[in-house]
Amino acid sequence: MNWKDLVENNNRFFWLLHTAGWFGFALVHYLGSLLHDSRDIFVIIIFLNAYAGWLFTVPLRYIYRRAWNLSPLKIAIVVILASYATGVLWQVVKNFNYWEIYKHGYRPDFWLLYTKSSVWAFYIILSWSGLYFGIKYYQMLQKERQNVLKANTVAHQAQLKMLRYQLNPHFLFNTLNAISTLILVKENDLANGMVTKLSEFLRYSLDKDPMKRVTLQSEIQALTLYLDIEKVRFEERLQVHFNIDEECQQALVPSMILQPLAENAIKHAIAVQEQGGSITVSVSRFGNDLLIELADDGPGAEIKDGNLFRECGVGLVNSRERLQALYRDNFSLVVSNNQPSGVKVNIRIPYELGQ
C-alpha cells in the first residue's frame, strides 16, 4: 500500500468513526428524552445539537495534527484549551436551539447565560479528544507492530536464503574434477552425462525459492540427480535405496533439505571405506508428522561431549538452522548410530500436503 492509499484509508476511517460517534450521541439522547415525555419537536433539537457537535469537532482534528509532535505537557494544554473553547461554542448553539425552537424564541436577560452548562459540554468534547488521541496512538502502535513484523519477516527470509544457498563447494569441485578425469581418459559419454546431471541439479537448486517448500517427490528427484552424479565418482562403491510411502509423495518439505545429509554421509561413510557403502532414504507418516530418515552403513561417528560428532562444515548445522527458521520448535533432527554400523539422521516435521 502506497502513501496516498494509506492517507485515504485513514481519512475514510476518521469520517466513519466521527459520524458514527455523533450519531450514537444523538441516539442516546433521543432514548433519554423518551423518559421525560418531551414534545416531538425535541427530536429536531437533539439532531441539530449532534450536527453542531459534528461540525465543531472537525477543526480539532487539524489542531491536534499540528500539536502531535509537541511535548506531552504542551499537548495536554492544547487539548484542554481547544476542548474548552469548542465546548463553550457548542453549548451556546445548543442553548440557542433549545430556546429558539423549544421555548419559541426565548431570550435570556444576560448574554453569558448562553454559556450555561458549558462544563458538561466541555466534558463531552474532552471525551471526543481523548478518543481521537487514543485511536491515533493505537493506530501508531499497530503500524509500529507491523513494521517490526515486516522487519522480522525480511530478516527471517534473508536468513533462510543465506542458509539455503550455503552449498558445499567440495561437491562442485569434486564433480568438476571427476568430469575432467573422464575427459582425460576419453570417457566422453560419461563426462557428458555427468555435465547434464550437474546442470539439472544446479538449475533445480537455484530455481527453487528458499521461502517455499516443495513436494517430497520433487525433492527425491533432486536428490537422485545429486546421487547419480556421485555414482559416477564412486561407481559400484555407492549403493542407494529408497523406502518412500506412497501417501508421502505429495508431502511438503524444505527444498534441498536432503542433499546436505546425503553429502555428509558420502563424505564420512562412503569415501572413507575402500569397499564403499550404501545410503538408505526412508520416509513415512506418523499421525500429523512426516518422518524422514537418511542412514548409511559407514564406520559410524565418534562421541564427543556425550553427542555424536561428525560434521565440521555446514551440513547438519545448516539443516538444523533451516528447520528451526521454518518450523520454529515444531520439528526435530536427531543424529544417532545406525545398526549394525553407520549413522542415521532422523527428521520430524509437520505433515502437510501440497496443492
Side-chain angles (χ1 to χ4, degrees):
M1 181 180 294
N2 57 39
W3 175 253
K4 183 178 180 180
D5 292 336
L6 182 62
V7 171
E8 185 177 343
N9 285 339
N10 285 338
N11 284 333
R12 190 182 300 115
F13 185 64
F14 168 80
W15 291 114
L16 178 63
L17 287 183
H18 182 64
T19 303
W22 282 110
F23 181 80
F25 171 84
L27 184 61
V28 168
H29 278 72
Y30 168 71
L31 295 176
S33 69
L34 298 178
L35 301 176
H36 297 88
D37 195 27
S38 301
R39 300 200 309 269
D40 293 340
I41 198 173
F42 194 69
V43 175
I44 298 176
I45 297 174
I46 289 174
F47 282 94
L48 283 175
N49 291 341
Y51 179 64
W54 186 93
L55 284 176
F56 291 150
T57 48
V58 169
L60 292 180
R61 180 193 186 196
Y62 301 98
I63 294 174
Y64 294 158
R65 278 183 176 179
R66 298 290 296 272
W68 186 262
N69 294 320
L70 298 178
S71 65
L73 179 60
K74 291 181 179 179
I75 290 177
I77 293 174
V78 170
V79 168
I80 292 173
L81 292 178
S83 297
Y84 183 77
T86 304
V88 170
L89 181 61
W90 183 42
Q91 188 61 40
V92 168
V93 173
K94 287 169 59 183
N95 287 332
F96 177 82
N97 289 337
Y98 181 75
W99 290 331
E100 185 69 27
I101 299 174
Y102 202 77
K103 294 292 185 178
H104 306 292
Y106 168 80
R107 295 291 184 274
D109 296 332
F110 187 48
W111 65 271
L112 278 178
L113 290 177
Y114 276 103
T115 62
K116 181 182 178 181
S117 301
S118 292
V119 174
W120 182 84
F122 165 64
Y123 288 150
I124 297 296
I125 303 300
L126 192 63
S127 298
W128 184 96
S129 301
L131 283 173
Y132 176 84
F133 275 91
I135 292 171
K136 290 291 288 185
Y137 275 115
Y138 175 77
Q139 288 180 317
M140 183 179 69
L141 290 175
Q142 287 295 102
K143 184 178 179 180
E144 289 298 320
R145 182 172 177 270
Q146 290 175 356
N147 289 339
V148 170
L149 289 175
K150 184 177 180 180
N152 288 337
T153 300
V154 171
H156 177 69
Q157 292 176 350
Q159 179 192 19
L160 279 176
K161 290 180 179 179
M162 177 194 69
L163 294 171
R164 168 64 176 76
Y165 292 130
Q166 277 184 330
L167 296 177
N168 194 333
H170 293 297
F171 159 65
L172 188 57
F173 293 155
N174 290 335
T175 303
L176 293 177
N177 285 333
I179 294 172
S180 175
T181 301
L182 289 173
I183 294 174
L184 288 175
V185 298
K186 308 300 183 180
E187 294 287 351
N188 294 333
D189 291 340
L190 280 177
N192 184 62
M194 201 169 183
V195 169
T196 301
K197 292 182 185 299
L198 177 62
S199 65
E200 291 177 2
F201 176 76
L202 291 178
R203 185 183 300 113
Y204 175 89
S205 65
L206 295 175
D207 284 348
K208 295 299 180 182
D209 188 345
M211 299 306 302
K212 295 181 180 179
R213 289 166 293 173
V214 299
T215 63
L216 179 66
Q217 184 179 34
S218 177
E219 182 67 7
I220 293 298
Q221 290 174 354
L223 180 63
T224 301
L225 281 174
Y226 166 74
L227 292 174
D228 285 345
I229 294 171
E230 294 290 7
K231 280 183 178 181
V232 176
R233 289 178 54 210
F234 293 98
E235 298 179 338
E236 298 301 322
R237 294 174 58 204
L238 173 59
Q239 301 296 321
V240 181
H241 308 286
F242 290 99
N243 299 315
I244 313 294
D245 286 358
E246 187 63 32
E247 65 174 331
C248 299
Q249 292 286 351
Q250 299 304 313
L252 294 177
V253 298
S255 63
M256 299 294 292
I257 195 65
L258 295 177
Q259 185 270 335
L261 305 181
E263 183 176 355
N264 194 63
I266 290 174
K267 177 181 178 182
H268 296 282
I270 310 301
V272 298
Q273 299 184 117
E274 184 177 350
Q275 75 278 13
S278 64
I279 294 176
T280 302
V281 179
S282 304
V283 183
S284 61
R285 178 185 178 184
F286 182 77
N288 294 324
D289 293 327
L290 184 70
L291 307 180
I292 303 172
E293 180 180 282
L294 191 146
D296 63 66
D297 57 0
E302 62 177 312
I303 297 178
K304 184 176 181 180
D305 298 328
N307 298 315
L308 288 175
F309 180 78
R310 171 193 268 187
E311 176 70 18
C312 297
V314 297
L316 291 174
V317 175
N318 180 293
S319 299
R320 190 184 301 276
E321 289 180 351
R322 287 188 64 205
L323 291 171
Q324 176 68 44
L326 282 168
Y327 299 106
R328 302 300 180 185
D329 296 325
N330 191 20
F331 83 98
S332 66
L333 188 153
V334 178
V335 183
S336 59
N337 277 317
N338 195 19
Q339 297 298 328
S341 66
V343 169
K344 60 182 178 180
V345 180
N346 293 92
I347 295 175
R348 177 192 60 80
I349 58 177
Y351 178 84
E352 298 173 301
L353 289 176
Q355 299 297 327

